[in-house]
């Protein structure tokens, strides 16, 4: 199982390379690689039986929400843990517990039981926090979805930032999945308007059906997200996920980019603006070396962050250990500490260009 993407993105080449590797070994040429793609909204046609597809998609999305909350719980507790290493061990146990819970209840649609178990885990995790440890400066992470979330690929960036005194919040996986549904909805709305002008009744019907499908899908996802985060927030103060509609509106208000240009660039820029609005003390942009969306984000955001006097760091990765990375992070964290001392975690300065 390895998702893919269309266009020139290198991520779309990984499954093809794996196919070549598997075919080079006797017997492994028969191993099938399942690759879902953003092009059709991660459709499971031909992979899952049609009768089970809707239930599987719902259960998969619940699993994504649970995984996101577990990650954010880790980042919320670990900088303030009573004993070094206790949070990692606790979260690892929780992952196994939640995995078993999802396997037991998701197929039957008993999502409330999954939420009950997750809430119990969160309450237990909160007891690991040492209230005597003072608050740390807050750093937000945006960027390419796989790289910013894959610990081995980004060389454990969050832990490195924590080691230098930060509390970190990383944009979620659910944010990206919601964006894909939102993007498909926008695309079909555009097609609908075009076919309406051309009075193409056959295509109008198809577009309308797709709009209803992706619209209801996005509504369901955001409804489930709200349900889970509302319950969990009663037990611990973790960050809430960014809503795609809100990010689009924020980007429109600033008028520095548009959702009409698809890729994670629009999400990254909007999330950085939201982090700044929330009083984050610094932002890190994570992307593969020479990745166009990441470089576009950097080019647009750097002057904006300079005007707002909020520390910003680009961290491109190419699989090698870069000798200057540690120095760059240390310098960035020194600026983050200075920002935190002056402004706390709220009330970032806004200095618009004249």
């Amino acid at each position: 199982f390895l998702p893919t993407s269309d266009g020139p993105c290198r991520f779309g080449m990984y499954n093809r390379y794996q196919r070549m590797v598997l075919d080079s070994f006797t017997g492994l040429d028969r191993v099938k690689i399942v690759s879902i793609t953003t092009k059709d909204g991660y459709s499971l046609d031909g992979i899952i039986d049609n009768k089970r597809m809707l239930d599987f998609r719902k259960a998969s999305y619940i699993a994504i929400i649970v995984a996101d909350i577990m990650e954010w719980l880790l980042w919320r507790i670990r900088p303030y843990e009573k004993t070094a290493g206790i949070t990692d061990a606790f979260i690892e146990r929780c992952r196994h517990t939640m995995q078993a819970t999802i396997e037991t209840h998701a197929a039957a649609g008993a999502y409330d039981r999954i939420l009950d178990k997750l809430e119990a885990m969160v309450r237990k995790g909160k007891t690991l926090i040492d209230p005597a440890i003072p608050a740390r400066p807050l750093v937000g992470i945006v960027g390419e979805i796989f790289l910013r979330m894959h610990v081995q690929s980004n060389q454990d960036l969050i832990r490195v930032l924590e080691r230098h005194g930060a509390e970190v919040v990383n944009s979620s996986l659910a944010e990206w999945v919601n964006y894909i549904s939102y993007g498909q909805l926008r695309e079909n709305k555009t097609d609908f308007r075009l076919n309406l002008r051309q009075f193409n009744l056959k295509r109008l019907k198809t577009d309308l059906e797709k709009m209803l499908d992706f619209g209801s899908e996005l509504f369901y996802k955001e409804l489930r997200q709200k349900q889970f985060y509302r319950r969990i927030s009663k037990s611990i103060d973790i960050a809430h996920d960014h809503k795609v509609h809100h990010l689009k509106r924020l980007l429109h208000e600033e008028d520095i980019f548009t959702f009409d240009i698809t890729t994670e660039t629009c999400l990254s820029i909007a999330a950085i603006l939201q982090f700044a609005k929330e009083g984050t003390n610094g932002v890190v942009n994570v992307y593969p070396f020479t990745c166009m969306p990441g470089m576009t984000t950097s080019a647009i955001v750097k002057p904006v962050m300079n005007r707002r006097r909020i520390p910003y760091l680009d961290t491109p990765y190419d699989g090698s250990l870069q000798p200057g990375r540690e120095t760059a992070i240390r310098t960035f964290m020194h600026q983050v500490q200075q920002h935190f001392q002056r402004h706390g975690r709220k009330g970032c300065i806004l200095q618009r260009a004249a």
Side-chain angles (χ1 to χ4, degrees):
F1 175 78
L2 181 65
T4 185
S5 63
D6 56 334
C9 180
R10 283 170 291 187
F11 187 68
M13 301 293 108
Y14 296 163
N15 67 329
R16 290 167 174 77
Y17 176 69
Q18 285 194 342
R19 179 75 276 159
M20 294 169 62
V21 171
L22 291 175
D23 288 349
S24 68
F25 291 93
T26 303
L28 295 184
D29 57 325
R30 296 190 297 273
V31 176
K32 183 178 180 180
I33 296 178
V34 177
S35 295
I36 57 177
T37 175
T38 59
K39 191 173 184 179
D40 56 9
Y42 294 130
S43 171
L44 297 170
D45 289 338
I47 301 173
I48 301 292
D49 183 76
N50 288 337
K51 295 179 180 179
R52 302 176 58 195
M53 188 181 300
L54 182 59
D55 290 337
F56 181 79
R57 288 179 69 89
K58 288 180 177 179
S60 299
Y61 188 71
I62 294 298
I64 289 174
I65 296 176
V66 170
D68 283 340
I69 291 176
M70 295 301 295
E71 291 277 74
W72 286 10
L73 184 65
L74 170 66
W75 306 325
R76 175 64 183 86
I77 298 173
R78 191 164 58 190
Y80 308 102
E81 60 188 0
K82 295 177 180 177
T83 306
I86 193 173
T87 309
D88 288 320
F90 169 75
I91 292 296
E92 187 62 28
R93 293 195 301 271
C94 287
R95 283 173 179 154
H96 290 293
T97 299
M98 292 311 305
Q99 177 183 330
T101 302
I102 291 171
E103 289 175 351
T104 302
H105 298 297
Y111 303 133
D112 286 340
R113 293 191 177 185
I114 296 173
L115 181 50
D116 290 341
K117 177 62 72 171
L118 179 61
E119 188 177 27
M121 296 291 99
V122 170
R123 287 176 177 171
K124 189 178 295 185
K126 187 178 180 180
T127 64
L128 305 180
I129 296 176
D130 185 350
I133 298 177
R136 294 182 173 201
L138 188 63
V139 173
I141 291 182
V142 302
E144 197 275 328
I145 302 85
F146 177 83
L147 185 56
R148 64 173 165 77
M149 303 197 70
H150 194 266
V151 175
Q152 285 74 30
S153 296
N154 63 41
Q155 298 167 11
D156 215 349
L157 175 62
I158 292 180
R159 195 183 296 271
V160 173
L161 290 168
E162 289 176 349
R163 191 169 69 238
H164 291 294
E167 178 184 341
V168 183
V169 176
N170 191 359
S171 298
S172 71
L173 177 59
E175 177 186 283
W176 171 254
V177 176
N178 291 357
Y179 168 70
I180 295 303
S181 298
Y182 182 78
Q184 292 289 332
L185 179 60
R186 276 173 56 88
E187 182 179 323
N188 283 288
K189 283 182 177 179
T190 301
D191 291 342
F192 181 83
R193 287 192 291 267
L194 176 62
N195 290 317
L196 185 61
R197 293 193 192 99
Q198 298 175 346
F199 204 64
N200 190 328
L201 297 180
K202 184 177 180 181
R203 290 188 177 181
L204 278 175
K205 181 182 177 182
T206 302
D207 292 335
L208 186 59
E209 289 174 349
K210 289 182 178 180
M211 285 165 56
L212 290 172
D213 285 343
F214 287 113
S216 58
E217 180 178 285
L218 181 61
F219 176 79
Y220 175 82
K221 288 176 178 178
E222 293 183 342
L223 187 68
R224 283 297 184 188
Q225 261 191 311
K226 186 176 181 180
Q227 176 194 15
F228 271 67
Y229 279 93
R230 179 179 290 176
R231 279 274 298 274
I232 297 306
S233 295
K234 294 178 181 178
S235 301
I236 192 170
D237 56 329
I238 62 170
H240 284 215
D241 218 352
H242 298 143
K243 291 190 69 172
V244 180
H245 291 286
H246 175 74
L247 294 178
K248 176 182 175 292
R249 185 168 61 251
L250 186 61
L251 206 58
H252 178 73
E253 291 172 356
E254 293 289 333
D255 196 26
I256 57 175
F257 203 71
T258 174
F259 264 56
D260 292 332
I261 302 176
T262 57
T263 67
E264 73 265 13
T265 303
C266 55
L267 281 183
S268 293
I269 295 174
I272 289 172
L273 295 173
Q274 182 61 27
F275 278 139
K277 189 176 180 180
E278 293 169 350
T280 305
N281 303 110
V283 178
V284 179
N285 178 27
V286 180
Y287 58 94
F289 180 67
T290 71
C291 177
M292 184 176 66
M295 295 173 68
T296 303
T297 298
S298 175
I300 293 173
V301 163
K302 273 184 179 179
V304 175
M305 299 300 276
N306 285 337
R307 289 197 300 271
R308 296 180 182 221
R309 296 187 178 180
I310 301 174
Y312 171 84
L313 177 67
D314 285 322
T315 55
Y317 290 88
D318 61 2
S320 65
L321 294 174
Q322 300 181 23
R325 178 60 50 79
E326 180 73 14
T327 302
I329 291 177
R330 284 174 177 268
T331 303
F332 168 74
M333 281 306 304
H334 176 69
Q335 296 170 342
V336 167
Q337 292 285 359
Q338 287 180 320
H339 187 280
F340 177 62
Q341 291 168 9
R342 292 170 182 165
H343 308 291
R345 283 166 51 156
K346 291 183 179 180
C348 294
I349 296 174
L350 173 58
Q351 293 187 342
R352 294 186 181 273

